[in-house]
Amino acid sequence: MRLSFEFFPPRTPQGRTSLIRVAERLNRFRPTFVSVTYGAGGSTRDGTQEAIGLLLENGFDAAPHLSMGGDGPEQIRELLDVYAGLGARRIVALRGDLPSGMGRARYPNNAEALVRVIRDHSDRRFHLEVAGYPETHPDATSPRLDLEFLKRKIDAGADSVITQYFYHPHAFFDFLNRARQVGINVPIVPGIMPITNFEGIVRFSDGCGADIPRWIRQHLDALQHDQDALIAFGVEVVTRLCTELLGADAPGLHFYTLNRWGATTKICENLGLDS
Ligand code: FAD
């Protein structure tokens, strides 16, 4: 099965050292690849590149996330050449989000345009991942159209899909069924967000359209002043989610680690992924 761990680009030399330490700790689960996010609009262009270079040097199959933001194809082509030179073999191609505080404005180019630029310039050099939304992307006018746009990304040349995180397994199963019905036949890998804090997960989930079921919210609310108990609860809930997904033939798991190894490690151990 395919396992991957996502990181964000550190800002300081200490952060970079710590990133490698986290990646090494998680390496016992033999991930297929690790990935590093990208601040759309280029805010982490150097940071993402640097982190990818460092991870590749340390023997990880490291995939940069990339989005056009306000860039034109020429700037994207330059970045693709840099990543090819560094030895990257995989890219996560996204539209990206504007930084918070920019209201409801959106980037003009959707991810499909980026997939086309990458395929035009680099042919099959990179395995291309794109994003999918079991609970429907917040900007989408309907689940059906959202899925149609996902299909267009695949038709433009994407190889597989990583989903936004979710805590309702049936949202994933329903999405998978609907995707197969419209002819999306590539692997669809569930994105997994470990739960390690109350306010952060609630705020973030509201923004990206991931629903936290009421029963989970109630427990998190009750445990918010007992960090150990909250983490233990989060590990138990997410382990059960992953067990159900893998039991129903999900092709793998993609963990949003937030550059931390503790909860992800416990979940992977519970799933027996180190054996
Ligand atoms: P798209 O596929 O372009 O879709 C965006 C919206 O536009 C959807 O509502 C879709 O239905 C609609 N749409 C798509 N095509 C069309 C079209 N042709 N016409 C009209 N509407 C259309 N964000 C970052 O900033 N940096 C990251 O590193 C990052 N990594 C991520 C990794 C994963 C696995 C996931 C799931 C998300 C990630 N995100 C990241 C968040 C992502 O950028 C946002 O969710 C963003 O709002 C949408 O990106 P997308 O690639 O799904 O966009």
Side-chain angles (χ1 to χ4, degrees), residues 6 37-40 65 92-97 109-112 131-133 137 139-140 145-146 149 152-153 162-164 254 256:
E6 176 177 312
T37 60
Y38 186 70
H65 293 209
V92 185
L94 304 146
R95 180 189 72 177
D97 281 328
N109 288 308
N110 51 58
E112 179 193 343
Y133 299 85
H137 187 271
D139 298 346
L145 273 179
D146 204 25
F149 292 131
R152 283 166 62 153
K153 294 193 278 193
I162 302 174
T163 76
Q164 184 58 278
H254 176 85
Y256 299 103

PDB file of all heavy atoms in Angstrom, residues 6 37-40 65 92-97 109-112 131-133 137 139-140 145-146 149 152-153 162-164 254 256, ligand 1:
ATOM      1  N   GLU A   6       3.076  14.382   4.574  1.00  0.00           N
ATOM      2  CA  GLU A   6       3.181  15.766   4.079  1.00  0.00           C
ATOM      3  C   GLU A   6       3.762  16.681   5.150  1.00  0.00           C
ATOM      4  O   GLU A   6       3.393  16.589   6.320  1.00  0.00           O
ATOM      5  CB  GLU A   6       1.765  16.240   3.684  1.00  0.00           C
ATOM      6  CG  GLU A   6       1.728  17.693   3.235  1.00  0.00           C
ATOM      7  CD  GLU A   6       0.330  18.104   2.775  1.00  0.00           C
ATOM      8  OE1 GLU A   6      -0.300  17.376   1.979  1.00  0.00           O
ATOM      9  OE2 GLU A   6      -0.117  19.180   3.224  1.00  0.00           O
ATOM     10  N   THR A  37       4.544  21.322   1.233  1.00  0.00           N
ATOM     11  CA  THR A  37       3.526  22.251   0.733  1.00  0.00           C
ATOM     12  C   THR A  37       4.162  23.513   0.153  1.00  0.00           C
ATOM     13  O   THR A  37       5.357  23.788   0.335  1.00  0.00           O
ATOM     14  CB  THR A  37       2.537  22.651   1.847  1.00  0.00           C
ATOM     15  OG1 THR A  37       3.282  23.286   2.885  1.00  0.00           O
ATOM     16  CG2 THR A  37       1.801  21.450   2.397  1.00  0.00           C
ATOM     17  N   TYR A  38       3.321  24.277  -0.521  1.00  0.00           N
ATOM     18  CA  TYR A  38       3.765  25.470  -1.244  1.00  0.00           C
ATOM     19  C   TYR A  38       2.814  26.606  -0.911  1.00  0.00           C
ATOM     20  O   TYR A  38       1.593  26.437  -1.029  1.00  0.00           O
ATOM     21  CB  TYR A  38       3.697  25.161  -2.739  1.00  0.00           C
ATOM     22  CG  TYR A  38       4.247  26.234  -3.649  1.00  0.00           C
ATOM     23  CD1 TYR A  38       5.613  26.478  -3.690  1.00  0.00           C
ATOM     24  CD2 TYR A  38       3.401  26.960  -4.486  1.00  0.00           C
ATOM     25  CE1 TYR A  38       6.123  27.443  -4.558  1.00  0.00           C
ATOM     26  CE2 TYR A  38       3.922  27.921  -5.354  1.00  0.00           C
ATOM     27  CZ  TYR A  38       5.272  28.153  -5.382  1.00  0.00           C
ATOM     28  OH  TYR A  38       5.779  29.099  -6.238  1.00  0.00           O
ATOM     29  N   GLY A  39       3.349  27.726  -0.477  1.00  0.00           N
ATOM     30  CA  GLY A  39       2.502  28.898  -0.250  1.00  0.00           C
ATOM     31  C   GLY A  39       2.158  29.467  -1.605  1.00  0.00           C
ATOM     32  O   GLY A  39       3.016  30.045  -2.271  1.00  0.00           O
ATOM     33  N   ALA A  40       0.911  29.261  -2.038  1.00  0.00           N
ATOM     34  CA  ALA A  40       0.533  29.731  -3.369  1.00  0.00           C
ATOM     35  C   ALA A  40       0.839  31.222  -3.471  1.00  0.00           C
ATOM     36  O   ALA A  40       0.720  31.957  -2.491  1.00  0.00           O
ATOM     37  CB  ALA A  40      -0.947  29.463  -3.598  1.00  0.00           C
ATOM     38  N   HIS A  65       4.784  20.427  -3.594  1.00  0.00           N
ATOM     39  CA  HIS A  65       3.469  20.894  -4.009  1.00  0.00           C
ATOM     40  C   HIS A  65       3.737  22.144  -4.857  1.00  0.00           C
ATOM     41  O   HIS A  65       4.702  22.881  -4.619  1.00  0.00           O
ATOM     42  CB  HIS A  65       2.620  21.306  -2.807  1.00  0.00           C
ATOM     43  CG  HIS A  65       2.246  20.154  -1.916  1.00  0.00           C
ATOM     44  ND1 HIS A  65       1.105  20.134  -1.165  1.00  0.00           N
ATOM     45  CD2 HIS A  65       2.891  18.974  -1.660  1.00  0.00           C
ATOM     46  CE1 HIS A  65       1.033  19.001  -0.491  1.00  0.00           C
ATOM     47  NE2 HIS A  65       2.108  18.289  -0.760  1.00  0.00           N
ATOM     48  N   VAL A  92       2.796  17.517  -6.554  1.00  0.00           N
ATOM     49  CA  VAL A  92       1.395  17.644  -6.176  1.00  0.00           C
ATOM     50  C   VAL A  92       0.911  18.971  -6.764  1.00  0.00           C
ATOM     51  O   VAL A  92       1.360  20.042  -6.343  1.00  0.00           O
ATOM     52  CB  VAL A  92       1.226  17.616  -4.639  1.00  0.00           C
ATOM     53  CG1 VAL A  92      -0.251  17.632  -4.263  1.00  0.00           C
ATOM     54  CG2 VAL A  92       1.926  16.396  -4.025  1.00  0.00           C
ATOM     55  N   ALA A  93       0.034  18.898  -7.776  1.00  0.00           N
ATOM     56  CA  ALA A  93      -0.360  20.086  -8.544  1.00  0.00           C
ATOM     57  C   ALA A  93      -1.698  20.638  -8.052  1.00  0.00           C
ATOM     58  O   ALA A  93      -2.705  19.933  -8.053  1.00  0.00           O
ATOM     59  CB  ALA A  93      -0.466  19.722 -10.029  1.00  0.00           C
ATOM     60  N   LEU A  94      -1.684  21.907  -7.646  1.00  0.00           N
ATOM     61  CA  LEU A  94      -2.851  22.501  -6.976  1.00  0.00           C
ATOM     62  C   LEU A  94      -3.164  23.888  -7.516  1.00  0.00           C
ATOM     63  O   LEU A  94      -2.294  24.550  -8.078  1.00  0.00           O
ATOM     64  CB  LEU A  94      -2.540  22.656  -5.479  1.00  0.00           C
ATOM     65  CG  LEU A  94      -2.135  21.375  -4.784  1.00  0.00           C
ATOM     66  CD1 LEU A  94      -1.115  21.664  -3.719  1.00  0.00           C
ATOM     67  CD2 LEU A  94      -3.350  20.671  -4.233  1.00  0.00           C
ATOM     68  N   ARG A  95      -4.371  24.337  -7.267  1.00  0.00           N
ATOM     69  CA  ARG A  95      -4.658  25.751  -7.531  1.00  0.00           C
ATOM     70  C   ARG A  95      -4.035  26.620  -6.438  1.00  0.00           C
ATOM     71  O   ARG A  95      -3.510  27.689  -6.690  1.00  0.00           O
ATOM     72  CB  ARG A  95      -6.178  25.991  -7.544  1.00  0.00           C
ATOM     73  CG  ARG A  95      -6.515  27.434  -7.817  1.00  0.00           C
ATOM     74  CD  ARG A  95      -7.986  27.728  -7.622  1.00  0.00           C
ATOM     75  NE  ARG A  95      -8.358  27.716  -6.213  1.00  0.00           N
ATOM     76  CZ  ARG A  95      -9.568  28.001  -5.775  1.00  0.00           C
ATOM     77  NH1 ARG A  95     -10.517  28.304  -6.629  1.00  0.00           N
ATOM     78  NH2 ARG A  95      -9.846  27.979  -4.479  1.00  0.00           N
ATOM     79  N   GLY A  96      -4.120  26.127  -5.203  1.00  0.00           N
ATOM     80  CA  GLY A  96      -3.613  26.906  -4.074  1.00  0.00           C
ATOM     81  C   GLY A  96      -4.682  27.840  -3.541  1.00  0.00           C
ATOM     82  O   GLY A  96      -5.663  28.151  -4.219  1.00  0.00           O
ATOM     83  N   ASP A  97      -4.479  28.250  -2.309  1.00  0.00           N
ATOM     84  CA  ASP A  97      -5.392  29.206  -1.680  1.00  0.00           C
ATOM     85  C   ASP A  97      -4.664  30.508  -1.460  1.00  0.00           C
ATOM     86  O   ASP A  97      -3.478  30.522  -1.124  1.00  0.00           O
ATOM     87  CB  ASP A  97      -5.841  28.674  -0.309  1.00  0.00           C
ATOM     88  CG  ASP A  97      -6.926  27.621  -0.453  1.00  0.00           C
ATOM     89  OD1 ASP A  97      -7.720  27.738  -1.408  1.00  0.00           O
ATOM     90  OD2 ASP A  97      -6.964  26.708   0.383  1.00  0.00           O
ATOM     91  N   ASN A 109      -6.156  30.812 -12.031  1.00  0.00           N
ATOM     92  CA  ASN A 109      -5.884  29.544 -12.705  1.00  0.00           C
ATOM     93  C   ASN A 109      -6.262  28.367 -11.830  1.00  0.00           C
ATOM     94  O   ASN A 109      -5.784  28.256 -10.707  1.00  0.00           O
ATOM     95  CB  ASN A 109      -4.393  29.442 -13.033  1.00  0.00           C
ATOM     96  CG  ASN A 109      -4.025  30.380 -14.160  1.00  0.00           C
ATOM     97  OD1 ASN A 109      -4.652  30.358 -15.212  1.00  0.00           O
ATOM     98  ND2 ASN A 109      -3.047  31.223 -13.917  1.00  0.00           N
ATOM     99  N   ASN A 110      -7.086  27.489 -12.363  1.00  0.00           N
ATOM    100  CA  ASN A 110      -7.383  26.291 -11.586  1.00  0.00           C
ATOM    101  C   ASN A 110      -6.264  25.256 -11.792  1.00  0.00           C
ATOM    102  O   ASN A 110      -5.373  25.433 -12.624  1.00  0.00           O
ATOM    103  CB  ASN A 110      -8.764  25.749 -11.946  1.00  0.00           C
ATOM    104  CG  ASN A 110      -8.918  25.591 -13.427  1.00  0.00           C
ATOM    105  OD1 ASN A 110      -8.140  24.879 -14.039  1.00  0.00           O
ATOM    106  ND2 ASN A 110      -9.877  26.273 -14.010  1.00  0.00           N
ATOM    107  N   ALA A 111      -6.346  24.183 -11.024  1.00  0.00           N
ATOM    108  CA  ALA A 111      -5.255  23.202 -11.052  1.00  0.00           C
ATOM    109  C   ALA A 111      -5.146  22.505 -12.409  1.00  0.00           C
ATOM    110  O   ALA A 111      -4.055  22.071 -12.806  1.00  0.00           O
ATOM    111  CB  ALA A 111      -5.470  22.178  -9.932  1.00  0.00           C
ATOM    112  N   GLU A 112      -6.261  22.419 -13.120  1.00  0.00           N
ATOM    113  CA  GLU A 112      -6.227  21.785 -14.447  1.00  0.00           C
ATOM    114  C   GLU A 112      -5.220  22.517 -15.359  1.00  0.00           C
ATOM    115  O   GLU A 112      -4.459  21.874 -16.096  1.00  0.00           O
ATOM    116  CB  GLU A 112      -7.634  21.824 -15.063  1.00  0.00           C
ATOM    117  CG  GLU A 112      -7.705  21.206 -16.439  1.00  0.00           C
ATOM    118  CD  GLU A 112      -9.028  21.549 -17.165  1.00  0.00           C
ATOM    119  OE1 GLU A 112     -10.001  21.970 -16.506  1.00  0.00           O
ATOM    120  OE2 GLU A 112      -9.044  21.396 -18.393  1.00  0.00           O
ATOM    121  N   ALA A 131      -5.619  17.200  -6.127  1.00  0.00           N
ATOM    122  CA  ALA A 131      -6.460  17.153  -4.925  1.00  0.00           C
ATOM    123  C   ALA A 131      -7.902  16.786  -5.265  1.00  0.00           C
ATOM    124  O   ALA A 131      -8.425  17.194  -6.306  1.00  0.00           O
ATOM    125  CB  ALA A 131      -6.433  18.523  -4.234  1.00  0.00           C
ATOM    126  N   GLY A 132      -8.549  16.019  -4.367  1.00  0.00           N
ATOM    127  CA  GLY A 132      -9.969  15.694  -4.507  1.00  0.00           C
ATOM    128  C   GLY A 132     -10.682  15.943  -3.181  1.00  0.00           C
ATOM    129  O   GLY A 132     -10.042  15.952  -2.119  1.00  0.00           O
ATOM    130  N   TYR A 133     -11.991  16.130  -3.242  1.00  0.00           N
ATOM    131  CA  TYR A 133     -12.740  16.593  -2.069  1.00  0.00           C
ATOM    132  C   TYR A 133     -13.965  15.728  -1.774  1.00  0.00           C
ATOM    133  O   TYR A 133     -15.047  15.968  -2.325  1.00  0.00           O
ATOM    134  CB  TYR A 133     -13.153  18.067  -2.281  1.00  0.00           C
ATOM    135  CG  TYR A 133     -11.926  18.927  -2.447  1.00  0.00           C
ATOM    136  CD1 TYR A 133     -11.316  19.066  -3.700  1.00  0.00           C
ATOM    137  CD2 TYR A 133     -11.327  19.536  -1.348  1.00  0.00           C
ATOM    138  CE1 TYR A 133     -10.146  19.798  -3.851  1.00  0.00           C
ATOM    139  CE2 TYR A 133     -10.157  20.275  -1.493  1.00  0.00           C
ATOM    140  CZ  TYR A 133      -9.577  20.400  -2.741  1.00  0.00           C
ATOM    141  OH  TYR A 133      -8.418  21.109  -2.874  1.00  0.00           O
ATOM    142  N   HIS A 137     -15.420  20.635  -2.565  1.00  0.00           N
ATOM    143  CA  HIS A 137     -14.610  21.838  -2.333  1.00  0.00           C
ATOM    144  C   HIS A 137     -15.527  23.018  -1.988  1.00  0.00           C
ATOM    145  O   HIS A 137     -16.594  23.166  -2.583  1.00  0.00           O
ATOM    146  CB  HIS A 137     -13.786  22.141  -3.601  1.00  0.00           C
ATOM    147  CG  HIS A 137     -12.817  23.255  -3.389  1.00  0.00           C
ATOM    148  ND1 HIS A 137     -13.138  24.581  -3.596  1.00  0.00           N
ATOM    149  CD2 HIS A 137     -11.536  23.237  -2.960  1.00  0.00           C
ATOM    150  CE1 HIS A 137     -12.075  25.326  -3.315  1.00  0.00           C
ATOM    151  NE2 HIS A 137     -11.096  24.541  -2.927  1.00  0.00           N
ATOM    152  N   ASP A 139     -15.602  26.064  -2.771  1.00  0.00           N
ATOM    153  CA  ASP A 139     -15.983  26.992  -3.855  1.00  0.00           C
ATOM    154  C   ASP A 139     -16.895  26.335  -4.887  1.00  0.00           C
ATOM    155  O   ASP A 139     -17.382  27.009  -5.796  1.00  0.00           O
ATOM    156  CB  ASP A 139     -14.750  27.460  -4.653  1.00  0.00           C
ATOM    157  CG  ASP A 139     -13.759  28.216  -3.808  1.00  0.00           C
ATOM    158  OD1 ASP A 139     -14.130  28.605  -2.695  1.00  0.00           O
ATOM    159  OD2 ASP A 139     -12.622  28.408  -4.273  1.00  0.00           O
ATOM    160  N   ALA A 140     -17.066  25.028  -4.809  1.00  0.00           N
ATOM    161  CA  ALA A 140     -17.779  24.331  -5.880  1.00  0.00           C
ATOM    162  C   ALA A 140     -19.272  24.641  -5.818  1.00  0.00           C
ATOM    163  O   ALA A 140     -19.838  24.772  -4.730  1.00  0.00           O
ATOM    164  CB  ALA A 140     -17.567  22.826  -5.753  1.00  0.00           C
ATOM    165  N   LEU A 145     -20.429  19.010 -10.210  1.00  0.00           N
ATOM    166  CA  LEU A 145     -19.482  19.831 -10.977  1.00  0.00           C
ATOM    167  C   LEU A 145     -18.066  19.696 -10.414  1.00  0.00           C
ATOM    168  O   LEU A 145     -17.082  19.676 -11.154  1.00  0.00           O
ATOM    169  CB  LEU A 145     -19.911  21.301 -10.936  1.00  0.00           C
ATOM    170  CG  LEU A 145     -20.912  21.699 -12.017  1.00  0.00           C
ATOM    171  CD1 LEU A 145     -21.287  23.178 -11.857  1.00  0.00           C
ATOM    172  CD2 LEU A 145     -20.319  21.472 -13.411  1.00  0.00           C
ATOM    173  N   ASP A 146     -17.965  19.598  -9.088  1.00  0.00           N
ATOM    174  CA  ASP A 146     -16.645  19.459  -8.465  1.00  0.00           C
ATOM    175  C   ASP A 146     -15.957  18.194  -9.009  1.00  0.00           C
ATOM    176  O   ASP A 146     -14.764  18.205  -9.329  1.00  0.00           O
ATOM    177  CB  ASP A 146     -16.816  19.360  -6.948  1.00  0.00           C
ATOM    178  CG  ASP A 146     -15.580  19.790  -6.184  1.00  0.00           C
ATOM    179  OD1 ASP A 146     -14.784  20.593  -6.736  1.00  0.00           O
ATOM    180  OD2 ASP A 146     -15.395  19.334  -5.045  1.00  0.00           O
ATOM    181  N   PHE A 149     -14.794  18.635 -12.555  1.00  0.00           N
ATOM    182  CA  PHE A 149     -13.520  19.347 -12.648  1.00  0.00           C
ATOM    183  C   PHE A 149     -12.355  18.441 -12.227  1.00  0.00           C
ATOM    184  O   PHE A 149     -11.256  18.550 -12.755  1.00  0.00           O
ATOM    185  CB  PHE A 149     -13.563  20.636 -11.821  1.00  0.00           C
ATOM    186  CG  PHE A 149     -14.494  21.661 -12.392  1.00  0.00           C
ATOM    187  CD1 PHE A 149     -15.442  22.303 -11.610  1.00  0.00           C
ATOM    188  CD2 PHE A 149     -14.430  21.989 -13.744  1.00  0.00           C
ATOM    189  CE1 PHE A 149     -16.316  23.227 -12.152  1.00  0.00           C
ATOM    190  CE2 PHE A 149     -15.297  22.918 -14.299  1.00  0.00           C
ATOM    191  CZ  PHE A 149     -16.243  23.543 -13.498  1.00  0.00           C
ATOM    192  N   ARG A 152     -11.524  16.470 -15.187  1.00  0.00           N
ATOM    193  CA  ARG A 152     -10.747  17.240 -16.174  1.00  0.00           C
ATOM    194  C   ARG A 152      -9.264  17.272 -15.818  1.00  0.00           C
ATOM    195  O   ARG A 152      -8.402  17.273 -16.697  1.00  0.00           O
ATOM    196  CB  ARG A 152     -11.316  18.654 -16.287  1.00  0.00           C
ATOM    197  CG  ARG A 152     -12.599  18.634 -17.116  1.00  0.00           C
ATOM    198  CD  ARG A 152     -13.390  19.900 -17.006  1.00  0.00           C
ATOM    199  NE  ARG A 152     -12.662  21.068 -17.496  1.00  0.00           N
ATOM    200  CZ  ARG A 152     -13.255  22.139 -17.971  1.00  0.00           C
ATOM    201  NH1 ARG A 152     -14.569  22.203 -18.054  1.00  0.00           N
ATOM    202  NH2 ARG A 152     -12.545  23.172 -18.364  1.00  0.00           N
ATOM    203  N   LYS A 153      -8.966  17.286 -14.525  1.00  0.00           N
ATOM    204  CA  LYS A 153      -7.546  17.256 -14.115  1.00  0.00           C
ATOM    205  C   LYS A 153      -6.922  15.919 -14.493  1.00  0.00           C
ATOM    206  O   LYS A 153      -5.769  15.849 -14.909  1.00  0.00           O
ATOM    207  CB  LYS A 153      -7.410  17.491 -12.592  1.00  0.00           C
ATOM    208  CG  LYS A 153      -7.822  18.881 -12.159  1.00  0.00           C
ATOM    209  CD  LYS A 153      -7.403  19.200 -10.734  1.00  0.00           C
ATOM    210  CE  LYS A 153      -8.321  18.678  -9.671  1.00  0.00           C
ATOM    211  NZ  LYS A 153      -8.074  19.247  -8.336  1.00  0.00           N
ATOM    212  N   ILE A 162      -5.053  12.789  -4.203  1.00  0.00           N
ATOM    213  CA  ILE A 162      -4.989  12.764  -2.729  1.00  0.00           C
ATOM    214  C   ILE A 162      -6.174  13.590  -2.254  1.00  0.00           C
ATOM    215  O   ILE A 162      -6.414  14.689  -2.774  1.00  0.00           O
ATOM    216  CB  ILE A 162      -3.689  13.391  -2.204  1.00  0.00           C
ATOM    217  CG1 ILE A 162      -2.457  12.674  -2.767  1.00  0.00           C
ATOM    218  CG2 ILE A 162      -3.667  13.370  -0.677  1.00  0.00           C
ATOM    219  CD1 ILE A 162      -1.135  13.340  -2.409  1.00  0.00           C
ATOM    220  N   THR A 163      -6.900  13.089  -1.276  1.00  0.00           N
ATOM    221  CA  THR A 163      -8.097  13.839  -0.877  1.00  0.00           C
ATOM    222  C   THR A 163      -7.820  14.814   0.267  1.00  0.00           C
ATOM    223  O   THR A 163      -6.865  14.657   1.036  1.00  0.00           O
ATOM    224  CB  THR A 163      -9.255  12.920  -0.408  1.00  0.00           C
ATOM    225  OG1 THR A 163      -8.968  12.433   0.903  1.00  0.00           O
ATOM    226  CG2 THR A 163      -9.505  11.794  -1.388  1.00  0.00           C
ATOM    227  N   GLN A 164      -8.697  15.790   0.349  1.00  0.00           N
ATOM    228  CA  GLN A 164      -8.790  16.611   1.553  1.00  0.00           C
ATOM    229  C   GLN A 164      -9.124  15.668   2.712  1.00  0.00           C
ATOM    230  O   GLN A 164      -9.710  14.603   2.490  1.00  0.00           O
ATOM    231  CB  GLN A 164      -9.908  17.645   1.351  1.00  0.00           C
ATOM    232  CG  GLN A 164     -10.067  18.634   2.478  1.00  0.00           C
ATOM    233  CD  GLN A 164      -8.792  19.409   2.713  1.00  0.00           C
ATOM    234  OE1 GLN A 164      -7.893  18.899   3.401  1.00  0.00           O
ATOM    235  NE2 GLN A 164      -8.691  20.593   2.160  1.00  0.00           N
ATOM    236  N   HIS A 254      -2.374   9.217   3.059  1.00  0.00           N
ATOM    237  CA  HIS A 254      -1.491  10.388   2.976  1.00  0.00           C
ATOM    238  C   HIS A 254      -1.706  11.185   4.264  1.00  0.00           C
ATOM    239  O   HIS A 254      -2.805  11.687   4.509  1.00  0.00           O
ATOM    240  CB  HIS A 254      -1.857  11.238   1.749  1.00  0.00           C
ATOM    241  CG  HIS A 254      -1.081  12.511   1.626  1.00  0.00           C
ATOM    242  ND1 HIS A 254       0.170  12.584   1.031  1.00  0.00           N
ATOM    243  CD2 HIS A 254      -1.371  13.782   2.015  1.00  0.00           C
ATOM    244  CE1 HIS A 254       0.600  13.836   1.052  1.00  0.00           C
ATOM    245  NE2 HIS A 254      -0.308  14.587   1.649  1.00  0.00           N
ATOM    246  N   TYR A 256      -1.275  14.300   6.775  1.00  0.00           N
ATOM    247  CA  TYR A 256      -0.922  15.716   6.977  1.00  0.00           C
ATOM    248  C   TYR A 256      -0.235  15.785   8.343  1.00  0.00           C
ATOM    249  O   TYR A 256      -0.906  15.833   9.374  1.00  0.00           O
ATOM    250  CB  TYR A 256      -2.184  16.578   6.964  1.00  0.00           C
ATOM    251  CG  TYR A 256      -2.947  16.515   5.657  1.00  0.00           C
ATOM    252  CD1 TYR A 256      -4.112  15.766   5.523  1.00  0.00           C
ATOM    253  CD2 TYR A 256      -2.477  17.196   4.538  1.00  0.00           C
ATOM    254  CE1 TYR A 256      -4.796  15.711   4.309  1.00  0.00           C
ATOM    255  CE2 TYR A 256      -3.157  17.144   3.325  1.00  0.00           C
ATOM    256  CZ  TYR A 256      -4.305  16.400   3.226  1.00  0.00           C
ATOM    257  OH  TYR A 256      -4.978  16.344   2.029  1.00  0.00           O
TER     258      TYR A 256
HETATM  259  P1  FAD B   1      -8.962  23.120  -8.419  1.00  0.00           P
HETATM  260  O1  FAD B   1      -8.949  21.716  -8.832  1.00  0.00           O
HETATM  261  O2  FAD B   1      -8.561  24.155  -9.409  1.00  0.00           O
HETATM  262  O3  FAD B   1     -10.426  23.423  -7.880  1.00  0.00           O
HETATM  263  C1  FAD B   1     -10.695  24.626  -7.173  1.00  0.00           C
HETATM  264  C2  FAD B   1     -12.185  24.972  -7.251  1.00  0.00           C
HETATM  265  O4  FAD B   1     -12.490  25.417  -8.563  1.00  0.00           O
HETATM  266  C3  FAD B   1     -13.138  23.806  -6.974  1.00  0.00           C
HETATM  267  O5  FAD B   1     -14.255  24.320  -6.341  1.00  0.00           O
HETATM  268  C4  FAD B   1     -13.470  23.279  -8.357  1.00  0.00           C
HETATM  269  O6  FAD B   1     -14.744  22.665  -8.374  1.00  0.00           O
HETATM  270  C5  FAD B   1     -13.444  24.571  -9.175  1.00  0.00           C
HETATM  271  N1  FAD B   1     -12.941  24.373 -10.543  1.00  0.00           N
HETATM  272  C6  FAD B   1     -11.936  23.573 -10.952  1.00  0.00           C
HETATM  273  N2  FAD B   1     -11.758  23.684 -12.278  1.00  0.00           N
HETATM  274  C7  FAD B   1     -12.666  24.592 -12.710  1.00  0.00           C
HETATM  275  C8  FAD B   1     -12.998  25.148 -13.975  1.00  0.00           C
HETATM  276  N3  FAD B   1     -12.346  24.775 -15.085  1.00  0.00           N
HETATM  277  N4  FAD B   1     -13.983  26.074 -14.031  1.00  0.00           N
HETATM  278  C9  FAD B   1     -14.670  26.451 -12.928  1.00  0.00           C
HETATM  279  N5  FAD B   1     -14.398  25.941 -11.704  1.00  0.00           N
HETATM  280  C10 FAD B   1     -13.421  25.044 -11.596  1.00  0.00           C
HETATM  281  N6  FAD B   1      -2.972  24.765  -0.736  1.00  0.00           N
HETATM  282  C11 FAD B   1      -1.842  25.502  -0.806  1.00  0.00           C
HETATM  283  O7  FAD B   1      -1.943  26.751  -0.878  1.00  0.00           O
HETATM  284  N7  FAD B   1      -0.593  24.913  -0.765  1.00  0.00           N
HETATM  285  C12 FAD B   1      -0.440  23.564  -0.694  1.00  0.00           C
HETATM  286  O8  FAD B   1       0.684  23.065  -0.696  1.00  0.00           O
HETATM  287  C13 FAD B   1      -1.615  22.742  -0.646  1.00  0.00           C
HETATM  288  N8  FAD B   1      -1.539  21.395  -0.603  1.00  0.00           N
HETATM  289  C14 FAD B   1      -2.686  20.633  -0.651  1.00  0.00           C
HETATM  290  C15 FAD B   1      -2.585  19.235  -0.692  1.00  0.00           C
HETATM  291  C16 FAD B   1      -3.724  18.446  -0.762  1.00  0.00           C
HETATM  292  C17 FAD B   1      -3.596  16.940  -0.846  1.00  0.00           C
HETATM  293  C18 FAD B   1      -5.019  19.054  -0.762  1.00  0.00           C
HETATM  294  C19 FAD B   1      -6.273  18.220  -0.795  1.00  0.00           C
HETATM  295  C20 FAD B   1      -5.135  20.446  -0.710  1.00  0.00           C
HETATM  296  C21 FAD B   1      -3.978  21.252  -0.670  1.00  0.00           C
HETATM  297  N9  FAD B   1      -4.039  22.646  -0.655  1.00  0.00           N
HETATM  298  C22 FAD B   1      -2.883  23.408  -0.680  1.00  0.00           C
HETATM  299  C23 FAD B   1      -5.343  23.332  -0.655  1.00  0.00           C
HETATM  300  C24 FAD B   1      -5.821  23.641  -2.092  1.00  0.00           C
HETATM  301  O9  FAD B   1      -4.900  24.459  -2.754  1.00  0.00           O
HETATM  302  C25 FAD B   1      -7.164  24.341  -1.978  1.00  0.00           C
HETATM  303  O10 FAD B   1      -8.144  23.428  -1.554  1.00  0.00           O
HETATM  304  C26 FAD B   1      -7.600  25.128  -3.189  1.00  0.00           C
HETATM  305  O11 FAD B   1      -8.695  25.956  -2.798  1.00  0.00           O
HETATM  306  C27 FAD B   1      -8.073  24.264  -4.347  1.00  0.00           C
HETATM  307  O12 FAD B   1      -7.035  23.623  -4.939  1.00  0.00           O
HETATM  308  P2  FAD B   1      -7.307  22.506  -6.075  1.00  0.00           P
HETATM  309  O13 FAD B   1      -5.988  22.133  -6.599  1.00  0.00           O
HETATM  310  O14 FAD B   1      -8.200  21.468  -5.565  1.00  0.00           O
HETATM  311  O15 FAD B   1      -8.077  23.419  -7.141  1.00  0.00           O
END
